[in-house]
Amino acid sequence: MIRLLLADDQALVRGALVALLGLEPDLEIVAEAERGDVVVELALETRPDVALLDVEMPGRDGIAVTAQLRAALPSCRVLVVTTFGRPGYLKRAMAAGASGFVVKDTPARQLAEAVRRVHDGQRVVDPALAAESLASGDNPLSARESDVLRAAQRGTSVAEIAAALFLSEGTVRNYLSSAIGKTAARSRAEAVRIAEENGWLLS
């Protein structure tokens, strides 16, 4: 039996994955989590062979959890299963030690096969996303530019962004201008959208 841990903050999605994968004769769900910050402790208690992790979860995102889980329990392989098939997420997940990356609309049979392949030591990546990732290139934004765009996601003013990040308003404007240029956007809102779509704003 391949022992699985599932982590997804959406109860409906998590329940569907448990039900579908539970139908496979060689797969056993040994733990479920709805938050990222409980995954490592849960994995150490239950010793899964494969962890299926969402990217965007409360407490800690799935990419940060991947790195921590691989360090704490190297025998557990990670398959990222996410709604957000963004090239930036794929690159960061694989760099963090994930063995696979698929989107949630993957058919149940293919998902089960992906679990088996990851368990066997193979890498599994959604082909369309892999091609898009190669075409998109690396994240052009600096850490501070990402911080400023992340703060700008909420539609806050330059003054509010400056106060939140302990920067001057002039410095915030400079970072925004630089980020707009690097993303080839026409506005702050478009720069945020482009960065989000490429998965460059995950903290």
Side-chain angles (χ1 to χ4, degrees):
M1 294 291 284
I2 301 173
R3 296 164 58 81
L4 306 180
L5 179 153
L6 291 175
D8 195 301
D9 62 326
Q10 295 179 300
L12 193 61
V13 172
R14 195 171 65 252
L17 288 172
V18 168
L20 290 168
L21 293 174
L23 295 173
E24 299 293 326
D26 58 337
L27 305 182
E28 178 187 7
I29 315 299
V30 296
E32 296 178 49
E34 60 182 19
R35 298 177 55 85
D37 52 4
V38 302
V39 169
V40 173
E41 184 179 354
L42 197 56
L44 289 172
E45 290 174 6
T46 58
R47 301 280 165 169
D49 300 307
V50 179
L52 285 77
L53 306 180
D54 190 13
V55 172
E56 296 190 0
M57 294 185 287
R60 192 168 296 131
D61 71 76
I63 294 173
V65 173
T66 295
Q68 292 176 330
L69 185 55
R70 294 292 296 149
L73 190 63
S75 62
C76 179
R77 301 187 189 278
V78 175
L79 176 61
V80 175
V81 184
T82 181
T83 304
F84 304 101
R86 296 171 179 163
Y89 285 5
L90 168 60
K91 290 177 181 177
R92 290 179 62 186
M94 301 309 269
S99 296
F101 194 106
V102 297
V103 291
K104 286 181 182 173
D105 60 3
T106 300
R109 186 169 295 175
Q110 287 183 27
L111 180 59
E113 188 55 33
V115 168
R116 295 183 186 105
R117 288 172 62 194
V118 163
H119 179 255
D120 287 343
Q122 300 177 49
R123 287 190 177 274
V124 180
V125 177
D126 179 89
L129 185 58
E132 189 180 345
S133 179
L134 287 171
S136 73
D138 293 326
N139 181 358
L141 301 173
S142 70
R144 242 350 185 177
E145 288 162 354
S146 295
D147 288 342
V148 169
L149 283 187
R150 200 175 297 114
Q153 281 177 298
R154 298 181 285 276
T156 50
S157 67
V158 167
E160 290 170 317
I161 295 170
L165 298 178
F166 305 103
L167 299 170
S168 71
E169 292 183 29
T171 300
V172 168
R173 287 192 185 91
N174 288 341
Y175 280 131
L176 285 172
S177 176
S178 177
I180 288 168
K182 286 182 178 180
T183 56
R186 289 167 295 195
S187 66
R188 179 175 94 172
E190 187 178 8
V192 168
R193 179 185 60 76
I194 291 168
E196 283 180 328
E197 288 175 354
N198 282 285
W200 295 336
L201 297 187
L202 195 64
S203 56

